[in-house]
Amino acid sequence: MSERMSSPGEAPAEPGPRSASVALLNRERAILEFNRRVLAQAQRADVPLLERLRYVTIVSSNLDEFFEVRFADAVEAARASSAGGAWAELAGSARAAHALIDEQYAIFNTEVMPALARQGIGIINHADRTPAQRDWVRSFFEREVRPLLIPVGLDPAHPFPLVANKSLNFIVRLGGRDAFGRESQIAIVKVPRVLPRVIRLPASVCAPGQQGFVLLSSVIRAHLEALFAGRTVESFSQFRVTRDSDLDVDEDDVTNLRQALRTGLTTRHFGQAIRLEVVDSCPEALWRFLLEQFDLPEAALYRVNGPVNLVRLTELIDQADDVAGGPSLRFAPYEPAWPVGRLPRVGSVFETLRERDILLHHPFESFEPVVEFLRQAVHDPDVLAIRQTVYRTGAKSVLMDLLIEAARRGKEVMVVVELKARFDEEANINWAERLEAVGAQVVYGIVGLKTHAKLLLVTRRETGARGTPVLRRYVHLSTGNYNPKTARLYTDLGYLTADPGIAADADAVFQQIASLTRVRPPRHLLTAPFVLHRRLVRHIGQVADAARAGRPARIVAKFNALTEPALIRALIDAGRAGASIDLIVRGACMLPPGIAGETDRIRVRSVIGRFLEHSRIMYFRWGDGDEDEALYLSSADWMGRNMFRRIELAWPVRDARMRQRVIDECLVPYLHDRRDAWVLRADGSYQRVDTAGVSAQQALMARYQPRPA
């Protein structure tokens, strides 16, 4: 173990009482705290301006999912609970969400957009448009927008329309009488999703060197009266409703899960309303009317100082140009490195894997070797079978195209497609149908469990030592998804091997998922929901016992979230026993570190940088010998759903040099990061370590950047 992973100067701690005495942090607020750290990226002077705007949009996207899923679950749990504490916790989370969103819009309005304006990039409101710009916008409205808008005036024959989840809408109060002489006052304008939300003005109507943009909401707002001939618009507001978007399918009560999910996708957009967003200028009478229509309490109202959907400003980021002579507005392009020296660019991947295992560290190293591994398997006549799990691969995927090609070539192709990958259901259903159409065997995992493991198994006919044919298997395991696009944005670890033991375990996993029969327990892979949780608790206990005996006792773990109570309690007990524990948790963490006499030997940090931290790594030491340590890579976070409601994998890194590489690249730099790191305090808040100094991600980018010849 690297010396730099030690924590010098720590006094030994005596074992304390049972860990149940420590109150865990609130999960919903822990998620909001993560988004607060992401939002802080939008305030960093060392982050290019358009990337700062991107962080603002990322927070909006994250919050949409928070309300659609996590907060919706909390609301449902509170409704089912007879205790008042659940509603109090929910109210506290709602207040935290309000504060975060207010802060987000303040940063957007007072920091990010003024800074972009100084570079000649701006969103031009109707009041600030020149006559030429107004003429252009009017023409655009008449030509591109108005033909698609159908206002709905409300009366007994025209009830409040169904409003889709996260769609843009207007509510309008009208003066005068309608075409039939009645005083109907309220109308709703639903904005089609096919219309662009950000429109770039042509250079001919902008000042030299200026890039002007208008929002679709502003275009419609400026021409609302044109939609209601003969009537006056007395007041109006944009609005947007966020709905519970979890697909509720009873897997025990359906005969075809794929068909049930496809049916559910059509109704997902109209689930229970959870949040209502309006602009802060919305009159009280209108927002109260909307709350009544959606059956929401006032706490669910979010009055925002700007567009009700900041996510769509990614369209501005995509359209804006760098300013000549000015600073770069985007991160400099980064091209992941090929693992030169470990895997030749040409030649057989299979030959290389017969000689050595390959560890890939994305996005610093390219995902292309994984694609090449599958590509060679597809085109190699000696490859007989390919099996792969699919969780999030995207609507367009070279890997899925290769699997389809493999089936067309007559290879035995089995794909475990997780249809319940949230918000990727439709893409995965489409891939499943395309695979089945060419003869691939498609299964959808296990009823009640999501298949979250990342696993690819290739079986090849080869010549054995005595000239007899043998079947040899090759495996790829990963902490991240089979998605080349996100592999350039997320930090993950991939492992290619021909190890017979791991290959046999991988085959057993696929056999069990497909046949639903008992198989021999894997000898090398740890699987959830079977042994992974139990093994982690056992290792934590070994570390605790070593601490009590005065032997070296160390845990360093890196994952996306820590919310599983039994694992948290085990960590607290190990810390009390005297173990030194460092946790690198990107997102939600419910363990409160730094409580005197309780968790003061546990440190929790979060690293938020250019790339999304996504790798899962667990290191345990419970003595002095080589046999007294273990290092695992995994697809699983330390959450209840990963341990008990998903098919997950963890695998040991047994090669000493490879293990040290994981420690030196994926753990040590993050423990010493000062630029992108935040430290969790006992009250659940985070403190930035520094704004200068070492950045783990930047150091790794520099390490892997190809050197000039």
Side-chain angles (χ1 to χ4, degrees):
M1 184 58 148
S2 171
E3 288 298 321
R4 291 194 296 158
M5 284 189 65
S6 63
S7 298
E10 294 175 350
E14 293 295 324
R18 297 292 299 172
S19 58
S21 62
V22 176
L24 303 188
L25 300 171
N26 177 272
R27 184 186 71 165
E28 282 69 40
R29 271 172 273 182
I31 295 172
L32 294 172
E33 279 294 324
F34 163 63
N35 281 287
R36 192 177 297 280
R37 299 194 295 281
V38 176
L39 181 60
Q41 294 291 98
Q43 296 180 282
R44 290 180 57 162
D46 61 333
V47 173
L49 278 173
L50 288 176
E51 304 296 349
R52 290 172 62 183
L53 178 58
R54 194 185 305 278
Y55 283 115
V56 171
T57 68
I58 289 171
V59 170
S60 283
S61 178
N62 290 347
L63 288 175
D64 282 350
E65 183 170 348
F66 170 76
F67 282 103
E68 289 173 291
V69 180
R70 306 299 178 205
F71 198 78
D73 287 347
V75 169
E76 191 64 30
R79 285 174 176 157
S81 174
S82 58
W87 285 110
E89 288 284 350
L90 194 65
S93 299
R95 287 192 296 272
H98 275 281
L100 175 59
I101 291 170
D102 288 344
E103 182 181 351
Q104 178 193 19
Y105 276 87
I107 292 170
F108 171 74
N109 287 315
T110 65
E111 297 185 40
V112 176
M113 293 313 297
L116 281 170
R118 289 192 288 272
Q119 298 299 321
I121 299 173
I123 296 172
I124 305 175
N125 295 321
H126 178 72
D128 299 324
R129 290 173 200 150
T130 65
Q133 290 170 343
R134 291 190 179 192
D135 287 344
W136 188 91
V137 169
R138 185 182 303 109
S139 175
F140 177 84
F141 173 79
E142 294 292 342
R143 183 180 69 253
E144 303 285 345
V145 180
R146 183 171 182 168
L148 299 179
L149 301 181
I150 302 180
V152 177
L154 303 188
D155 70 3
H158 298 76
F160 194 91
L162 274 176
V163 172
N165 181 43
K166 299 186 295 186
S167 62
L168 175 62
N169 306 271
F170 280 81
I171 181 170
V172 185
R173 178 181 290 277
L174 299 167
R177 296 178 181 272
D178 64 21
F180 304 94
R182 297 172 301 183
E183 294 183 348
S184 56
Q185 292 185 318
I186 302 296
I188 302 296
V189 181
K190 297 167 68 174
V191 181
R193 283 198 161 109
V194 296
L195 290 170
R197 294 305 192 255
V198 180
I199 304 102
R200 182 167 176 171
L201 293 170
S204 59
V205 299
C206 296
Q210 299 293 304
Q211 299 177 56
F213 296 86
V214 294
L215 302 182
L216 178 64
S217 55
S218 176
V219 172
I220 296 173
R221 172 183 174 178
H223 300 89
L224 272 177
E225 290 201 350
L227 300 175
F228 302 98
R231 305 195 70 179
T232 58
V233 173
E234 295 181 344
S235 58
F236 62 90
S237 177
Q238 306 169 42
F239 74 91
R240 181 175 181 257
V241 65
T242 312
R243 298 181 180 274
D244 183 343
S245 295
D246 223 3
L247 286 180
D248 187 14
V249 175
D250 185 351
E251 296 179 54
D252 293 318
D253 195 37
V254 298
T255 56
N256 187 318
L257 178 61
R258 186 178 70 195
Q259 186 58 47
L261 283 169
R262 189 175 283 286
T263 301
L265 287 171
T266 63
T267 59
R268 161 184 271 173
H269 297 303
F270 303 101
Q272 174 67 43
I274 299 295
R275 169 182 61 161
L276 173 66
E277 296 167 278
V278 300
V279 295
D280 58 0
S281 59
C282 178
E284 180 177 349
L286 294 186
W287 58 254
R288 287 198 180 278
F289 176 82
L290 290 171
L291 287 176
E292 181 181 355
Q293 296 301 314
F294 294 119
D295 191 24
L296 287 172
E298 192 169 332
L301 175 70
Y302 289 77
R303 301 174 65 185
V304 300
N305 184 18
V308 296
N309 185 359
L310 291 174
V311 177
R312 289 300 196 100
L313 289 181
T314 55
E315 297 176 23
L316 186 153
I317 299 169
D318 294 340
Q319 295 180 63
D321 301 320
D322 269 352
V323 180
S328 176
L329 301 179
R330 296 179 175 84
F331 286 130
Y334 181 79
E335 191 61 33
W338 184 274
V340 177
R342 288 176 286 129
L343 183 67
R345 281 186 176 273
V346 295
S348 171
V349 175
F350 304 112
E351 288 182 10
T352 300
L353 293 180
R354 287 197 294 272
E355 297 175 2
R356 58 183 174 272
D357 296 345
I358 302 294
L359 181 73
L360 298 170
H361 191 184
H362 311 301
F364 314 105
E365 289 186 299
S366 175
F367 190 75
E368 185 58 29
V370 181
V371 178
E372 182 61 21
F373 171 59
L374 182 57
R375 183 180 290 117
Q376 289 190 17
V378 170
H379 293 95
D380 187 339
D382 291 325
V383 168
L384 306 180
I386 301 172
R387 298 169 182 169
Q388 184 173 348
T389 62
V390 170
Y391 191 72
R392 298 189 192 279
T393 191
K396 296 181 180 179
S397 171
V398 62
L399 291 162
M400 301 302 285
D401 289 338
L402 285 169
L403 290 172
I404 290 170
E405 177 63 21
R408 285 178 176 148
R409 287 172 177 257
K411 300 183 189 298
E412 291 297 319
V413 176
M414 171 188 167
V415 187
V416 182
V417 180
E418 181 46 69
L419 296 184
K420 302 184 300 299
R422 186 176 290 121
F423 303 122
D424 279 85
E425 297 97 342
E426 185 170 7
N428 287 2
I429 289 171
N430 292 338
W431 283 122
E433 291 174 345
R434 290 184 61 188
L435 285 160
E436 286 185 334
V438 294
Q441 180 182 357
V442 179
V443 295
Y444 306 129
I446 310 296
V447 170
L449 302 173
K450 285 187 179 182
T451 302
H452 192 249
K454 282 64 176 172
L455 182 60
L456 171 58
L457 176 66
V458 171
T459 302
R460 188 171 186 265
R461 181 193 293 116
E462 298 181 1
T463 303
R466 298 182 180 179
T468 57
V470 297
L471 295 182
R472 181 174 279 119
R473 292 175 291 207
Y474 300 84
V475 182
H476 175 260
L477 293 153
S478 180
T479 66
N481 297 310
Y482 286 110
N483 189 321
K485 181 179 179 180
T486 58
R488 299 176 70 94
L489 304 172
Y490 297 2
T491 68
D492 273 307
L493 290 162
Y495 180 56
L496 286 159
T497 183
D499 180 279
I502 289 180
D505 283 357
D507 181 69
V509 170
F510 280 113
Q511 291 283 352
Q512 186 171 54
I513 292 174
S515 68
L516 306 179
T517 58
R518 292 181 182 273
V519 297
R520 66 161 183 81
R523 296 184 176 90
H524 307 279
L525 301 180
L526 306 181
T527 58
F530 303 107
V531 301
L532 177 57
H533 183 265
R534 188 164 64 248
R535 180 68 63 86
L536 292 176
V537 171
R538 191 183 89 185
H539 279 319
I540 297 170
Q542 287 176 289
V543 174
D545 291 343
R548 294 186 186 100
R551 300 194 306 272
R554 187 82 167 101
I555 297 173
V556 184
K558 181 176 186 287
F559 32 68
N560 300 331
L562 174 59
T563 62
E564 203 287 303
L567 290 171
I568 294 174
R569 300 297 182 193
L571 288 168
I572 292 173
D573 285 341
R576 280 208 186 100
S580 177
I581 301 174
D582 279 284
L583 306 175
I584 306 162
V585 188
R586 183 197 78 207
C589 179
M590 292 172 58
L591 190 159
I595 300 175
E598 301 282 352
T599 60
D600 44 4
R601 292 186 66 87
I602 302 177
R603 296 157 296 276
V604 180
R605 56 170 38 208
S606 171
V607 173
I608 308 294
R610 171 174 176 172
F611 303 120
L612 183 78
E613 291 297 330
H614 197 251
S615 52
R616 291 93 166 190
I617 305 159
M618 298 92 78
Y619 174 84
F620 307 95
R621 173 164 282 283
W622 56 88
D624 293 300
D626 289 344
E627 71 280 4
D628 297 327
E629 74 171 0
L631 177 71
Y632 296 94
L633 307 179
S634 181
S635 60
D637 289 312
W638 286 23
M639 305 173 70
R641 68 185 188 189
N642 298 89
M643 297 295 157
F644 307 117
R645 299 191 299 279
R646 290 186 173 188
I647 303 294
E648 300 275 15
L649 292 177
W651 67 97
V653 181
R654 293 172 297 194
D655 178 83
R657 285 181 296 181
M658 191 175 291
R659 187 163 61 242
Q660 194 62 47
R661 181 184 166 207
V662 172
I663 291 168
D664 290 343
E665 291 187 15
C666 305
L667 297 180
V668 171
Y670 290 90
L671 295 179
H672 293 267
D673 188 299
R674 298 192 62 80
R675 184 182 295 267
D676 298 331
W678 298 74
V679 174
L680 176 59
R681 296 183 285 205
D683 64 356
S685 64
Y686 283 76
Q687 180 178 5
R688 172 165 261 151
V689 174
D690 203 343
T691 56
V694 177
S695 160
Q697 291 187 2
Q698 291 179 6
L700 288 165
M701 289 171 68
R703 173 183 293 190
Y704 281 101
Q705 196 75 334
R707 294 176 176 84

